[in-house]
Amino acid sequence: MTAVIPLTDLRVASAMDAREAFVRAAAQDTAPAAEAFPVDTRSRLLQDLRISVTDRCNFRCVYCMPKDVYGRDFPFLPHTALLTFEEIARVAGIFVRLGVRKIRLTGGEPLLRRNLERLVGMLAAHDVDLTLTTNGALLAKKARALRDAGLARVTVSLDALDDPTFRAMNDVDFPVARVLEGIDAAQAAGLAPIKINAVIKRSMNEHAIVPLARHFRDSGHIVRFIEYMDVGHTNGWRMDHVVPAADIVAAIDSEFPLEAVDPNYAGEVAQRWRYRDNGHEIGVIASVTQAFCRDCTRARLATDGKLYTCLFADAGYDLRALLRETHSDAQIANAIAAIWQRRADRYSEIRTANTPKPSRIEMSYIGG
C-alpha cells in the first residue's frame, strides 16, 4: 500500500483553492510515515478510475456527440496531446497504489485507439478489475485480442434493437446487426458477463425498453437502462427528456415480473433487478432522479491527462504536465491525493431543471 502525506490543511484552509493544493502537493517528495488511502470530504475512498484513451468516436450519438457540433471540422486533440500508453500505465499504477481497484477504459470510442490491446496488457499487470466500454462497432474484430491481452469484461452501448431507431440515435447510419455481432464475439472470447448500456431518451427510444429486456433476458448479459443525463453542454438536455428509472422498471415489470436485488458492493452505480422466473438481471442507472453521489468512488482521467473528480466537472487538474516533467511517482501520488482529499462533488444531488449549465466537460473527452 502506498501512503500519502497527511495534508490536514486541505480540509480547513478555505483561502487555498484546490489548484494551489494540487501544485503544492506535487512538490512534496517525502516518504510518508503513515499508510492511508485518500478520503474525500464526504468520506468517499478513491477506488475506481476511468481512463479516456481518445476523444474521437465513429458514432455521433445525439446525447453525447451531436453531429451539428462534432462535424468534419471539429478540432479533436492532436496525437501529441494524448497520454502515451507508457504514461497511462505509469499513472494507473500510482492510482492503484492509492487504492483504485477497478479501471475502465473509455473514450470517445476506445477501440479507435491504435494497438489498444498493448495498453490492456500493460494495465493487466495490476491487481485490478480491468474493463472497457465500447459502442461495439469494432468489437467483433478486437474481442479476441483484447481478451488475450488481459481484458476481463466489456460493456457495450446499445440504445435500441430496431434498426431505424438505432441508426437515428448513432446518427451515422450504423446497423444494429453489427453491434450484435460484436456482442457475440465478446461472449465467444470470454469477455463476460457482458453489460449492455442503453441510454433512454423520451420520445426517441423509450419504446425500445421492453424489446431490449426481452432480447437479452435469457442470455446472461445484463442490460442497464440509463436515464438521459446532462453531461457536457452540447446535447440540448432538458429534464422533460428524462424517462425516470421507476418508469423503466415498471414497463419491464408489466411484462416480465421483477424483484429488487441488493447491491454487489457499496457505491455500485446500477440498481439491480432480477427476473422472478429465471433469476437473470437488469440494472437501472438513475443519476437524475435517484442520485448516488454519496457513494461515488470514481475519478476520471481525460484523454489529455487531466484529472476530473466528477462526471459533471467543469475543470480538471493536469497530470500530463507532472508526468512529462521531472516529478516522481511519490510527488504525483501526493498531488492526486491532495485533490481527492478536497473533493466535495455532489452535482446530481442538487440538480434541478433550473440548475445553471456552465461549460462542463463533454462526455466524449472525459469518458462515461
Side-chain angles (χ1 to χ4, degrees):
M1 181 188 299
T2 292
V4 297
I5 296 173
L7 300 171
T8 55
D9 64 325
L10 292 179
R11 296 182 184 226
V12 298
S14 58
M16 184 178 69
D17 67 13
R19 198 163 303 280
E20 183 181 349
F22 174 75
V23 173
R24 286 179 54 182
Q28 300 184 46
D29 198 21
T30 306
E35 293 186 344
F37 290 146
V39 179
D40 75 5
T41 63
R42 306 187 78 201
S43 300
R44 297 171 294 191
L45 290 166
L46 171 56
Q47 295 182 319
D48 303 82
L49 177 64
R50 302 195 174 193
I51 302 173
S52 176
V53 297
T54 180
D55 62 336
R56 299 169 187 262
C57 188
N58 45 3
F59 283 11
R60 287 295 178 267
C61 297
V62 294
Y63 54 81
C64 182
M65 294 182 70
K67 189 181 289 184
D68 59 340
V69 176
Y70 296 89
R72 292 183 178 181
D73 297 328
F74 185 83
F76 290 103
L77 292 170
H79 186 73
T80 54
L82 276 59
L83 290 184
T84 67
F85 287 168
E86 289 75 18
E87 289 169 336
I88 292 173
R90 180 187 173 196
V91 77
I94 295 170
F95 273 98
V96 170
R97 292 190 290 276
L98 289 172
V100 162
R101 293 294 172 261
K102 180 177 180 180
I103 294 177
R104 178 176 296 278
L105 299 178
T106 67
E109 170 48 46
L111 297 187
L112 290 178
R113 184 76 182 258
R114 187 174 301 175
N115 300 319
L116 184 69
E117 55 272 20
R118 186 167 73 85
L119 174 62
V120 169
M122 298 165 74
L123 297 176
H126 298 295
D127 183 19
V128 294
D129 180 18
L130 182 58
T131 68
L132 177 146
T133 297
T134 174
N135 61 29
L138 300 173
L139 189 55
K141 298 177 180 179
K142 289 279 193 175
R144 176 59 62 183
L146 291 167
R147 184 70 184 96
D148 290 346
L151 189 70
R153 295 180 290 104
V154 292
T155 297
V156 180
S157 299
L158 179 61
D159 300 320
L161 285 172
D162 66 284
D163 222 37
T165 300
F166 183 70
R167 289 175 187 257
M169 292 195 73
N170 67 57
D171 208 17
V172 293
D173 205 32
F174 195 87
V176 71
R178 288 178 58 186
V179 177
L180 295 175
E181 289 172 6
I183 292 171
D184 290 343
Q187 182 177 25
L191 293 168
I194 297 168
K195 294 178 180 177
I196 315 293
N197 279 357
V199 174
I200 305 301
K201 183 177 180 181
R202 190 176 299 282
S203 300
M204 177 160 279
N205 69 328
E206 58 194 307
H207 66 277
I209 294 170
V210 173
L212 278 165
R214 181 185 299 113
H215 182 85
F216 290 108
R217 69 185 300 268
D218 294 315
S219 67
H221 307 329
I222 301 171
V223 183
R224 304 193 305 177
F225 298 92
I226 303 173
E227 292 180 344
Y228 175 48
M229 293 183 290
D230 51 332
V231 181
H233 65 286
T234 62
N235 67 2
W237 183 88
R238 300 203 318 257
M239 187 71 82
D240 58 3
H241 287 163
V242 177
V243 179
D247 293 358
I248 294 171
V249 171
I252 299 170
D253 182 66
S254 67
E255 184 159 342
F256 307 111
L258 298 167
E259 59 185 3
V261 183
D262 290 336
N264 284 308
Y265 53 88
E268 185 171 21
V269 172
Q271 300 170 16
R272 299 171 62 205
W273 294 83
R274 179 169 55 209
Y275 296 112
R276 292 179 181 272
D277 62 348
N278 68 7
H280 291 166
E281 290 188 22
I282 64 163
V284 290
I285 299 177
S287 72
V288 177
T289 63
Q290 301 172 53
F292 42 81
C293 300
R294 67 183 180 276
D295 295 320
C296 180
T297 60
R298 285 168 292 284
R300 290 171 167 82
L301 186 65
T303 310
D304 60 357
K306 289 188 176 65
L307 170 65
Y308 293 86
T309 59
C310 180
L311 180 60
F312 301 96
D314 58 4
Y317 302 88
D318 191 0
L319 295 186
R320 185 185 65 189
L322 302 186
L323 290 164
R324 293 184 179 178
E325 293 170 358
T326 58
H327 292 79
S328 68
D329 286 6
Q331 289 174 314
I332 296 173
N334 284 324
I336 294 169
I339 293 305
W340 193 262
Q341 287 171 324
R342 292 182 68 90
R343 178 180 185 247
D345 302 305
R346 61 186 192 98
Y347 172 83
S348 290
E349 290 181 349
I350 60 175
R351 174 205 291 112
T352 70
N354 297 317
T355 298
K357 297 179 180 179
S359 184
R360 291 191 299 268
I361 202 68
E362 297 295 337
M363 185 182 294
S364 57
Y365 167 80
I366 196 175

